[in-house]
Amino acid sequence: LRPETLFGTKFESYLNEHPDVFVYSRSDDEVKVGVISNMKNYPVEVELPFEMDKILLQNYDKRYNSNKLLLEPYETIVGKIK
């Protein structure tokens, strides 16, 4: 994963109407990375609009097997999108 993928590439926002989460992707010609953040101090359930291939970074030690997530307070996940 190149730094350019996260900082100098195409940005796409998702779930803009959801009041509790910030979900977006960054991509270049080779890789697409998704970021999911619970912005609240309580758990939030969210269904992702994309499928994660591999989690690259997260601030809770949890495993996810589907696009439906229960995010802990202030949990953020960064992952490669299929």
Side-chain angles (χ1 to χ4, degrees):
L1 182 64
R2 301 175 324 177
E4 296 85 15
T5 303
L6 297 177
F7 301 112
T9 59
K10 182 179 175 188
F11 173 87
E12 192 170 352
S13 183
Y14 305 92
L15 305 179
N16 296 323
E17 302 302 318
H18 197 297
D20 301 326
V21 297
F22 183 44
V23 181
Y24 67 94
S25 68
R26 301 289 279 202
S27 60
D28 62 15
D29 293 335
E30 299 173 20
V31 177
K32 189 170 191 176
V33 175
V35 179
I36 305 96
S37 293
N38 176 2
M39 306 301 284
K40 300 298 182 175
N41 64 351
Y42 48 81
V44 172
E45 189 172 313
V46 63
E47 186 168 353
L48 296 180
F50 48 75
E51 190 173 348
M52 300 284 267
D53 184 38
K54 178 182 178 184
I55 293 179
L56 304 171
L57 182 68
Q58 64 189 109
N59 61 338
Y60 281 83
D61 188 22
K62 294 170 62 176
R63 295 190 185 268
Y64 295 101
N65 296 323
S66 75
N67 285 4
K68 288 187 179 181
L69 310 178
L70 179 61
L71 298 173
E72 299 297 332
Y74 305 110
E75 181 174 5
T76 297
I77 301 168
V78 179
K80 186 176 175 186
I81 296 175
K82 285 186 179 180

